[in-house]
């Protein structure tokens, strides 16, 4: 008898219904009184084909496909429709006799003759082995199953459609064949129809109202119950109450009957939850600008004008068009796409730059080209190309080289070409001539706005907003709101890209960690597990649990036969099927079976180990079985869902997968997670703004910090910044920070010191610090590298030859000390000196804002001084844009020049400085007599960073900056655990960005230090002493430097063998695949285990 | 259990899929109900760079009609560059197969990301068809 785990009974548990015992195909089972034979068979995983059956509707028995043979004791067997026939005590049911097969085939032929083209009918017929019919085909669109009629009457209570006529004149139609008012146009009838007939147009004149999918930006529609977007946490469907028929009228409720685990709760209500917290982090995100507000761009007026967010969905493989780049109007592939930048950014109402649009437009162009071919024409209409982030300039240049065409212009407008769906972009070129170009698709790069209802939100939390309605923060406290204990991150404080958002989020958590250090971990209740059973030396006793997953698996795969098959595999001592293996009661049942049958290996054949392995491992652990004695076979994602039309082969494959899982399970061994002790102290290298901020944050979190600075004084580059655009005093802030660092009891400052050597790895580093001729060794668990950067020393534009040629920092120094005194009548600033050139192809990010700041300062001190800024693109991103606007308003002249026609500085006849540059706007050479020439020089990596990188074995990028683990998602980590980066050593950045990254590094480091020991993966590299001969082939390929060669003496001879540092190993298995001698393997993925799976795969089931 | 009648040869394909990208891509193909032929048997590994060339050669000399390794796209490897190491080994594997007289088309290395369910299904269809054309592996006893 098959053990059944009936955990989704229709009856409430406390009612205890009378149970009926019957036999189906020789298997006995019990079902509650009132169940039908069809329902009973489903519990056993026995497939019975149906067409007119629907879980939410009363049995009807129209299609006759579900015929079975039933026999009551003392009576002869009869053929009955199983959907209607009740389960009776002692009933004997047979679903697989030749008689039944014959009967079903005839029914299928009849159905197929009526609707030969309906896929659902074809599929049902194929399931009983019928692909062709001997009966004359009717080519009808109705099989008289009555699903639509019953749905409308039983569930919707409308009866807007019914059967009329009898015999050959029988038809499905509304009363009198006319549209009627009973119909809601809910389309439930269309939805259930197995032949795809549209019933609703016959019942109602009102066209159905689709519910647009927000996630697909209205390009597709969604049901009233849906998983709103694929990344939703938790990943569960939710009911949209406004469109749910049940919640609106009380009718329908079909989803409740269809859900196998009875998860639908119509009476769920919003709950107010009160939480006692010590700190709050606000991350409400942003809103995209709605381009309908700019009528001349035609969004939602012209079908083929989409926003960049819409286009992102169009590009997505899981998007509305399956990743085929087509335009909405006619679903043809566009040949010419235009992007229009700054829609809702950098205009009169939005005096900020959204920071991300230039790059996302570039990215979307490149991806569109990948989809459509390189010949796709992609034009980007823009003002300044703001590729200021790390690696962005190179990406931008690459895009241009791949044919993305950037057209500099004033804000364009869009018109539709009548009859074609094509669009004409009309624009003014840089030199004010009218031009226009035709496109198949226009994409609007919409900007970032504060979140919707932001003022109300701010009021709720009693925090201040800035002039643009984003959250107000300060330069030196960039994650704090105006209210103590409330921290903020993400685009809520300023439009920003992913890495900046991730950093600010970590930065906010660093501040919270500091605030709450005394109560850290107090709300965590550790789970207690029973002692582990010793299974060493035991013959494997495998238990196999095969999941129905409702009908997700059992609807295609014959799970009963899979379980039966499993029972006969070597070492399998127990096998069963479960309706839902992941349900809580099945976990209890698995534990019971482990105890009952003394199982020492568990195999679950269900879904993906990626989602469910942790659950089942935990179940094993809860009953004292080592969690690594567990293996999964993914018969849902790899069988039932992807071979829906081939049930027999899907079943065969499921057996193969189970056999492979059992083969591996037999070789599994108990594994333990190792632990590396954590030295609760940090080393911070670099005493500039980043290093000091990191050190202070970590000290506030409660850890000892050694702060090493090569210079004799703390402060780094910040010592040269004298004023900020927003009026904050950087020197006062610096003094306060240095004072705090120096006075902090948990910070030791090593100034005038250098790092000599670093040993060890995450959790336990030992570093030698040299100072004043002596060397001190400190022990620490983490390292933060904040070695900073310097400024490029120009060798051009007469710098160093003429005292009137300065860098921006030198100008700032002069303005701060001498004020407006001696300022000449004309100052010329030259941007990108040493940046974005062949030698340093990157953008230094801050120089545009620096130039604008200093230009405004000059205008403030000496309003009559003419200031010219010679630039290629002005990259005043975020709120820096408003300073740029202000500068133009105050009369600062911004003169653009071409990339390849750089300005020239020379001495004139009267020894005056003459700057000449070709102006593409008026198409001629401009010369300016300048009293001062100010160079915006590049930021360059500090030479010491390279040395530190070598000591710590961390990588640098092509430009000499430290290369983080992931550009977007892990912006302060390295691939090597325990080492973090902050500040200019990572890339050029502003003061507040430096502080944010420094706090972020402190948060990441602090999270690690908060543990007494680091729990290591169990599935790591392991050396086989008998076979490893120390050839060291695996040492260099290891991506984490986790393997080293050691020598030892045995029996007088020197032996070589490798040693794995488990704190560094991540279990990638490069060593295992490299080893020619089977001398090293990954626990849980050993060669033998994988080979056993391969061998099992090759045995035919 | 009887198989439906298939006139065509149904190859048996051993597939290694890395945990982080390709296995996830296969899951996505499942969740998206993308249909592909049921010829492959997937073995989950942590990284495509973990697969010893012997595993591939053994599978093919013991009767697999095809072997497919799926890893992350270059630059996406969870372990920095395990996939690139797999790519380097692929050339060596092909040389070894030549020694055994096995067509190199029976072995393939493909990049499938976690979001590329459709691509995973397509690779399955393509490779199954490719191996089908090659016919039964002569090593299959």
């Amino acid at each position: 008898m098959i053990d059944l785990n009936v955990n989704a009974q229709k009856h409430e548990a406390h009612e205890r219904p009378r149970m009926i015992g019957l036999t189906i195909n020789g298997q006995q089972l019990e079902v509650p009184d009132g169940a039908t034979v069809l329902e009973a068979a489903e519990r056993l995983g026995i497939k019975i084909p149906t067409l007119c059956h629907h879980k939410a509707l009363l049995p009807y028995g129209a299609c006759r496909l579900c015929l079975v043979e039933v026999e009551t004791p003392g009576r002869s067997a009869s053929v009955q429709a199983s959907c209607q026939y009740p389960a009776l005590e002692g009933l004997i049911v047979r679903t697989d006799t030749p008689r039944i097969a014959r009967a079903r085939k005839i029914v299928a032929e009849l159905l197929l003759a009526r609707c030969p083209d309906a896929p659902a009918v074809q599929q049902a017929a194929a399931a009983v082995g019928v692909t062709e019919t001997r009966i004359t085909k009717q080519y009808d669109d109705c099989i008289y199953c009555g699903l639509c009629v019953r749905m409308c009457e039983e569930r919707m209570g409308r009866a807007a459609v019914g059967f009329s006529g009898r015999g050959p004149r029988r038809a499905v139609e509304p009363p009198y064949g006319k549209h009627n008012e009973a119909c809601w146009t809910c389309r439930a009838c269309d939805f259930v129809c197995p032949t795809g007939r549209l019933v609703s147009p016959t019942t109602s004149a009102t066209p159905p109202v689709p519910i647009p999918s927000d996630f697909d930006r209205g390009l597709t529609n969604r049901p009233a119950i849906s998983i709103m977007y694929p990344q939703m946490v938790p990943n569960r469907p939710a009911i949209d109450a406004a469109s749910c028929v049940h919640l609106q009228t009380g009718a329908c409720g079909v989803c409740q009957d269809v859900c196998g685990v009875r998860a639908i709760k119509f009476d769920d209500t919003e709950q107010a939850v009160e939480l006692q917290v010590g700190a709050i982090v606000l991350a409400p995100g942003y809103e995209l600008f709605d381009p309908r507000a700019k009528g001349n761009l035609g969004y939602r007026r012209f079908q083929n004008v989409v926003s960049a967010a819409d286009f992102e969905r169009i590009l997505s493989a899981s998007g509305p068009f399956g990743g085929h780049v087509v335009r909405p109007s006619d679903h043809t592939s566009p040949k010419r796409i235009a992007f229009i930048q700054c829609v809702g950014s950098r205009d009169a109402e939005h005096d900020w730059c959204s920071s991300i649009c230039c790059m996302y437009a570039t990215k979307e162009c490149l991806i569109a080209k990948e989809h459509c071919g390189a010949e796709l024409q992609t034009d980007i209409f823009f003002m300044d190309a703001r590729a200021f982030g790390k690696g962005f300039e190179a990406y931008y240049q690459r895009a241009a080289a791949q044919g993305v065409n950037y057209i500099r212009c004033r804000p364009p407008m869009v018109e539709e070409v009548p009859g074609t769906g094509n669009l004409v972009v009309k624009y003014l070129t840089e030199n004010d001539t009218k031009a226009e170009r035709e496109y198949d698709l226009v994409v609007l790069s919409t900007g970032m706005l504060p979140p919707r209802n932001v003022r109300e939100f701010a009021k709720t939390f009693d925090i201040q907003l800035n002039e643009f309605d984003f959250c107000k923060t300060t330069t030196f406290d960039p994650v704090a709101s105006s209210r103590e204990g409330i921290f903020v991150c993400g685009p809520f404080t300023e439009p920003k890209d992913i890495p900046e958002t991730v950093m600010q989020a970590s930065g906010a958590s660093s501040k919270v960690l500091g605030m709450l250090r005394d109560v850290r971990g107090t709300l965590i209740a550790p789970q207690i597990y029973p002692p582990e059973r010793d299974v060493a030396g035991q013959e494997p006793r495998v238990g196999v649990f095969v999941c129905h997953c409702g009908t997700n698996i059992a609807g295609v795969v014959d799970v009963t036969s899979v379980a039966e098959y499993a029972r006969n595999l070597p070492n399998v001592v127990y096998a069963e099927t479960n309706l839902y293996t992941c349900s809580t009661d099945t976990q209890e049942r698995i534990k019971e079976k482990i105890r009952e049958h003394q199982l020492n290996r568990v195999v679950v054949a269900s879904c993906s180990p990626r989602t469910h392995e942790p659950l089942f491992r935990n179940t094993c652990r809860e009953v004292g079985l080592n969690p690594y004695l567990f293996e999964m076979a993914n018969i849902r994602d790899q069988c039932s869902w992807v071979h829906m039309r081939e049930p027999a082969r899907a079943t065969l494959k499921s057996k193969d997968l189970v056999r492979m899982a059992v083969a591996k399970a037999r070789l599994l061994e108990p594994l333990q997670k190792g632990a590396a002790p954590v030295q609760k102290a940090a080393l911070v290298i670099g005493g500039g703004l980043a290093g000091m901020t990191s050190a202070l944050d970590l000290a506030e979190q409660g850890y000892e910090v050694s702060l090493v600075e090569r210079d004799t004084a703390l402060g780094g580059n910040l010592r040269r910044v004298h004023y900020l655009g927003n009026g904050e005093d950087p020197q006062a802030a610096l003094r306060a920070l240095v004072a705090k660092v120096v006075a902090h009891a948990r910070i030791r400052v090593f100034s005038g010191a250098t790092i000599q050597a670093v040993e060890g790895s995450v959790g336990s580093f030992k570093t030698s610090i040299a100072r004043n001729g002596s060397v001190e060794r400190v022990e620490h668990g983490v390292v933060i590298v904040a070695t900073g950067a310097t400024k490029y020393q120009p060798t051009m534009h007469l710098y160093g030859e003429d005292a009137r040629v300065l860098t921006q920092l030198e100008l700032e120094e002069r303005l701060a000390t001498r004020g407006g005194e001696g300022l000449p009548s004309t100052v010329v600033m030259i941007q990108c000196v040493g940046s974005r050139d062949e030698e340093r192809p990157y953008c230094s990010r801050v120089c545009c804002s620096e130039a604008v700041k200093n230009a405004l300062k000059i205008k403030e001190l000496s309003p009559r001084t003419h200031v010219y800024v010679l630039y290629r693109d002005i990259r005043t991103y975020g709120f820096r844009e408003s300073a740029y606007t202000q500068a133009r308003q105050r009369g600062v002249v911004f003169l653009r020049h071409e990339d390849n026609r750089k300005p020239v500085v020379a001495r004139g006849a009267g020894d005056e400085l003459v700057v000449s540059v070709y102006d593409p706007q008026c198409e001629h050479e401009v010369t300016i007599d300048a009293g001062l020439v100010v160079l915006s020089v590049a930021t360059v990596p500090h030479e010491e960073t390279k040395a530190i990188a070598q000591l710590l074995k961390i990588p640098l990028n092509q430009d000499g900056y430290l290369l983080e683990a992931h550009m977007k998602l892990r912006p302060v980590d390295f691939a090597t655990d325990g080492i973090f980066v902050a500040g200019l050593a990572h890339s050029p950045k502003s003061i507040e960005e430096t502080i944010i990254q420094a706090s972020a590094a402190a948060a990441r480091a602090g999270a690690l230090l908060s543990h007494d020991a680091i729990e290591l993966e169990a599935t790591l590299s392991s050396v086989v002493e008998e076979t490893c001969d120390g050839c060291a082939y695996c040492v260099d390929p290891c991506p984490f430097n986790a393997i080293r060669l050691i020598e030892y003496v045995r029996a007088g001879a020197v032996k070589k063998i490798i040693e794995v540092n488990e704190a560094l190993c991540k279990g990638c298995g490069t060593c295992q695949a490299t080893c020619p001698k089977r001398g090293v393997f990954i626990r849980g993925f050993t060669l033998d285990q994988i080979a056993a799976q391969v061998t099992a795969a090759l045995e035919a089931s | 259990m009887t198989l439906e009648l298939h006139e065509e040869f149904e190859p048996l394909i051993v597939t290694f899929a890395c945990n982080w990208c390709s296995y996830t891509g296969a899951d996505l193909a499942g969740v998206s109900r993308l249909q592909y032929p049921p010829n492959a048997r997937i073995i989950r590994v942590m990284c495509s760079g973990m697969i010893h060339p012997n595993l591939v050669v053994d599978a093919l000399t013991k009767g697999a009609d095809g072997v497919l390794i799926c890893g992350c796209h270059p630059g996406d490897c969870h372990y920095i560059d395990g996939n690139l190491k797999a790519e380097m080994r692929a050339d060596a594997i092909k040389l070894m197969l030549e020694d055994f007289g096995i067509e190199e088309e029976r072995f393939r290395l493909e990049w499938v990301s976690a979001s590329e369910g459709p691509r995973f299904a397509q690779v399955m269809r393509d490779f199954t068809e490719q191996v089908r054309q090659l016919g039964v592996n002569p090593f299959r006893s």
Side-chain angles (χ1 to χ4, degrees), chain A residues 341-363:
Chain A
Q341 299 304 106
C342 297
V343 178
S345 303
R346 300 185 67 187
D347 59 22
E349 292 92 57
H350 314 94
D351 194 10
W352 63 82
C353 160
S354 293
S355 301
I356 58 167
C357 328
C358 284
M359 295 320 291
Y360 74 56
T362 301
K363 175 198 79 173

Side-chain angles (χ1 to χ4, degrees), chain A residues 721-861:
Chain A
V721 182
H722 300 278
Y723 48 84
L724 297 179
N726 62 9
E728 287 182 57
D729 179 355
Q731 289 308 312
L734 175 62
R735 279 192 300 274
L737 181 62
V738 171
K740 269 193 200 167
V741 166
V742 171
H744 205 291
R746 281 189 284 271
I747 301 178
R748 268 188 78 191
V749 178
F750 294 80
S751 47
T754 54
I755 305 286
Q756 277 201 330
V758 185
E759 284 168 41
S761 54
V762 57
S764 53
F765 289 102
K766 290 180 187 68
T767 299
S768 308
I769 303 169
R771 181 169 57 162
N772 302 331
S774 67
V775 176
E776 190 173 335
R777 255 161 79 95
V778 294
E779 296 188 4
H780 50 98
V782 295
V783 187
I784 293 178
V785 185
T787 45
T790 56
K791 282 289 182 187
Y792 168 65
Q793 285 295 308
T795 53
M796 57 188 87
H797 300 319
L798 303 179
Y799 181 81
E801 296 169 36
D802 193 308
R804 293 167 298 177
V805 182
L806 310 173
T807 65
Q808 289 288 359
L809 277 178
E810 288 161 353
L811 171 71
E812 182 164 338
E813 183 92 41
R814 172 185 163 144
L815 296 176
T817 49
R818 289 165 58 193
E821 177 207 323
L823 271 180
S825 63
T826 306
V827 176
V828 176
M829 296 182 176
I830 301 176
Q831 299 304 105
C832 293
V833 177
S835 298
R836 299 178 66 190
D837 61 14
E838 272 160 30
E839 204 183 328
R840 273 168 301 276
Y842 59 89
C843 165
S844 292
R845 186 172 180 127
V846 294
C847 343
C848 286
S849 308
E850 220 179 338
V852 167
K853 177 185 88 170
N854 287 341
L856 279 168
K857 193 73 178 177
I858 291 171
K859 283 290 185 187
E860 178 195 320
L861 296 169

Side-chain angles (χ1 to χ4, degrees), chain A residues 309-603:
Chain A
D310 303 346
F311 195 58
E312 189 86 31
R313 291 309 300 150
I314 293 176
L315 288 173
S316 169
S318 57
F321 308 120
H324 296 290
V325 178
V326 296
R327 58 183 201 166
S329 73
D330 50 12
H331 292 198
T332 57
S333 227
K335 306 262 179 303
R336 304 159 298 178
I337 303 181
F339 277 77
I340 296 177
Q341 299 304 106
C342 297
V343 178
S345 303
R346 300 185 67 187
D347 59 22
E349 292 92 57
H350 314 94
D351 194 10
W352 63 82
C353 160
S354 293
S355 301
I356 58 167
C357 328
C358 284
M359 295 320 291
Y360 74 56
T362 301
K363 175 198 79 173
E364 289 186 2
C365 283
L366 287 178
I367 296 178
K369 276 174 172 288
E370 272 173 32
H371 285 249
C372 300
E375 65 280 5
L376 175 75
Q377 181 191 332
T378 51
D379 293 350
I380 298 182
F381 291 88
F382 78 115
M383 294 195 277
D384 294 282
R386 295 195 162 168
F388 57 85
K390 189 177 186 180
F392 285 5
E393 178 70 20
Y395 190 80
Y396 163 56
Q397 297 297 346
R398 204 160 61 234
Q402 285 179 33
V404 177
N405 182 27
Y406 294 83
I407 300 172
R408 212 177 282 269
C409 68
R410 304 192 187 285
M413 57 184 282
V414 180
E415 283 174 11
E416 196 172 47
V417 183
T420 63
N422 290 353
L423 305 147
V424 170
V425 175
K426 297 189 167 181
Y427 61 102
L428 275 181
T429 65
E430 219 183 353
N431 48 21
D432 284 336
T433 45
K434 282 187 186 170
E436 57 178 62
R437 291 179 180 221
E438 191 173 319
Y439 296 94
D440 305 310
L441 183 71
V442 169
V443 183
L444 307 179
S445 296
T446 50
M448 280 172 151
L449 307 183
R452 210 177 303 172
N453 304 328
V454 65
R455 291 190 182 179
E456 212 177 295
F457 185 81
K459 221 167 128 189
T460 304
F461 290 97
D462 191 22
I463 54 169
Q464 287 175 26
L465 299 177
N466 68 13
E467 67 211 276
F468 309 113
D469 271 357
F470 287 82
C471 183
K472 186 173 181 175
T473 56
T474 63
T475 307
F476 287 94
D477 213 350
V479 297
S481 74
S482 56
R483 183 168 170 194
E484 206 188 342
I486 297 187
F487 301 97
V488 288
C489 58
F492 182 40
T493 66
E494 187 175 5
K496 57 174 66 76
D497 207 324
I498 296 168
E500 286 79 14
T501 301
V502 173
M503 286 192 261
Q504 201 178 11
S506 289
S509 63
S510 175
K511 298 296 178 194
V512 174
L513 282 167
M515 257 187 93
L516 305 182
R517 66 165 183 268
D518 295 332
V519 291
R520 185 171 50 220
T522 49
L523 291 177
I524 299 170
Q527 202 179 347
I528 310 290
Y529 291 98
E532 219 170 270
R533 236 169 70 202
D534 184 13
V535 300
Q538 288 178 9
E539 179 78 359
R541 295 177 61 80
V542 186
V544 180
F545 298 84
V546 184
C547 186
H548 289 233
C549 195
T551 53
N552 279 307
I553 296 172
V556 176
V557 171
D558 182 351
V559 287
T560 314
S561 78
V562 174
E564 229 160 84
Y565 174 80
R567 203 169 293 122
N568 295 316
L569 289 169
N571 292 118
V572 174
V573 296
Y574 183 75
E576 67 170 30
T577 67
N578 315 98
L579 202 47
Y580 289 98
T581 311
C582 59
S583 68
T584 318
D585 49 348
T586 307
Q587 301 317 297
E588 289 308 315
R589 193 179 163 83
I590 291 175
K591 284 193 245 175
E592 190 188 306
K593 294 297 168 193
I594 291 174
R595 277 191 292 257
E596 188 183 326
H597 297 274
Q598 282 296 301
L599 303 178
N600 57 18
R601 304 286 189 284
V602 175
V603 170

Side-chain angles (χ1 to χ4, degrees), chain A residues 154-217:
Chain A
E154 285 176 34
R155 303 311 304 236
M156 300 299 167
R158 308 309 295 165
V161 63
F163 283 111
S164 70
R166 304 182 103 184
R169 276 193 293 277
R170 192 167 160 86
V172 166
E173 58 177 9
Y176 310 109
K178 285 181 179 163
H179 290 152
N180 60 64
E181 281 175 13
C183 178
W184 282 332
T185 328
C186 70
R187 296 199 66 204
C189 49
D190 299 338
F191 184 75
V192 289
C193 179
T195 68
R197 177 182 183 174
L198 291 180
V199 182
S200 67
T202 67
T203 58
S204 167
T206 317
V209 182
I211 316 167
S213 152
D214 285 342
F215 181 64
D216 271 337
R217 313 269 316 163

